[in-house]
Amino acid sequence: MEKKELRTVDIIVPCYNEGENIELLYRETRKVTAAIDGYSFRYIFVDDGSVDDTLDRIKKLIAQTELRYISFSRNFGKEAAMYAGLRASCGDFAVIMDADLQHPPELIAEMVRVIEATGCDSCAARRVSRKGEPAIRSFFARSFYKIMNRYSDIEIVDGAVDFRMMSRRMVKAIVSMPETQRFSKGIFAWVGFETRWIEFENVKRISGESKWSLWSLMKYAVDGFIDFAASPLKFAGVFGSVTAAGAAVYLIVEVLKTLIAGKDTPGYASTICLILFFGGVITTILSIMGEYIGRMYMETKRRPIYIEKESNVDED
């Protein structure tokens, strides 16, 4: 009987100051992957400019088994780390997961099962609860998904995380988008391909602290919204037109009042309020336009998404 050819899966792990979690992640993930028949799993650790011993821990693992790694010259962000890992992947499938074990390794087996059963190109995880998360953070997260899905050209499932398994053709489609300002959740949705979802409960970090503050999450949400929605520009145009129309009507009314009843004594308070109001409207519209123009400017520079300091990944 002919032996079935093994399918290769690259597990991509972005790391930033995750030295305490590297060995545990590898050990727990190996327990799961060792029980999956017909698949060969490899690892690509991406050190995102860590300032702790993350890189040393990765190299220590490499001395014991065959692993691949990429180390950045500085911290370029998780988006760049995921892109670097996907670009280095050459397996039949690729899995992206965090190093802090908030993405349960046992879900990898479920992802393999779903892809085999359905033939889909992607199986992704979504959180169905935010237990243990600050209430204000949960509120903003849910609001983001509602606004994003209503006003952008893509739809992101509420609770979607970066933890997912993707086919080779989906990975190639993602890597073919070398934009500097990256929002992977939007890119995953934009490239299309059938995606099935599996649910899991929120898991606390094993050790260390989250690198995402409320401010950085809000900035990330704004980045994602601007990257995949032109509605702020449309809103600014509509609001400006409505305001101009209202001002025109007000001007006509004042002219008629002057012609019919004579000119009233002007009110300085109302004049100042109107000046401040329209000044604020103009400034807001210019700020929205400036945000889009600024992103266009940064993209035209064609700077690399990341810079490698060292790596054991062979370049094609």
Side-chain angles (χ1 to χ4, degrees), residues 216-230:
S216 61
L217 284 172
M218 291 180 66
K219 183 177 180 297
Y220 181 66
V222 171
D223 289 344
F225 187 70
I226 290 178
D227 285 349
F228 285 92

Side-chain angles (χ1 to χ4, degrees), residues 185-229:
K185 286 186 178 67
I187 292 175
F188 294 149
W190 189 89
V191 296
F193 298 104
E194 182 184 2
T195 298
R196 296 298 179 94
W197 296 90
I198 53 177
E199 300 177 346
F200 73 102
E201 298 286 338
N202 190 43
V203 180
K204 290 185 178 181
R205 289 176 61 92
I206 299 300
S207 63
E209 297 181 356
S210 174
K211 313 304 183 297
W212 292 93
S213 64
L214 181 60
W215 171 251
S216 61
L217 284 172
M218 291 180 66
K219 183 177 180 297
Y220 181 66
V222 171
D223 289 344
F225 187 70
I226 290 178
D227 285 349
F228 285 92

